Amino acid sequence: ELKVFAGHLFCDEDGGFPTDLNEWEEPVLTTELARPSFVAWYRNPSRPAANALRIAYQDDSGRWTSLQVDYVVISRRDDGQLAASIVDPHGDHLADAKAKLLALAEYAEQHGERYVRIDSIAKAPDGSLRCLHLLDPATRAFIRAFPGSAVTGLYESSVSAGYK
């Protein structure tokens, strides 16, 4: 049994989309669905595929690979125009978390004007969800200057905000 969520771009005839989400992907999606400006969402494939939004980056060994963000959310701007946001709840515990976060920050630098938001979200030790707003130049600079490969500290830093 899969839980069914409304508003997916590829919903069934009843408007539902069955999917299996982890314990913090679900609250992120629920938050997005509740936004007054929400129109639709897309569960980006987790594997490199033709229908995936893929962001290229080099891993620590210099090999090219890609990041597939979790969600693309469509919303209506104040002027009525439709626009997309990247909402990426990703574990900060993975070995390639910093490389992926740097890739997403670089993507935001190059293509941010096309998006309402580009947010990277992680679960904090206290169980709350923390967000890095990657359209903010100061946040991107902080990420680039952050030492080491463990990004947990970024989500606990002054550039992080509670996800809501």
Side-chain angles (χ1 to χ4, degrees), residues 57 59-60 65 91 93-101 149:
Y57 72 97
D59 65 17
D60 291 338
T65 187
H93 60 283
L94 302 172
D96 60 354
K98 185 164 186 189
K100 287 179 176 178
L101 186 56
S149 61

Side-chain angles (χ1 to χ4, degrees), residues 51-64:
N51 59 338
L53 171 59
R54 299 173 63 194
I55 298 171
Y57 72 97
Q58 285 183 290
D59 65 17
D60 291 338
S61 69
R63 185 179 61 91
W64 283 99

Side-chain angles (χ1 to χ4, degrees), residues 17-33:
F17 182 79
T19 190
D20 184 27
L21 303 176
N22 70 31
E23 67 186 56
W24 50 289
E25 289 172 333
E26 185 171 334
V28 167
L29 180 57
T30 302
T31 298
E32 295 300 323
L33 293 171

Side-chain angles (χ1 to χ4, degrees), residues 123-130 156:
K123 194 171 195 176
D126 68 1
S128 67
L129 295 176
R130 304 292 298 168
E156 298 169 344

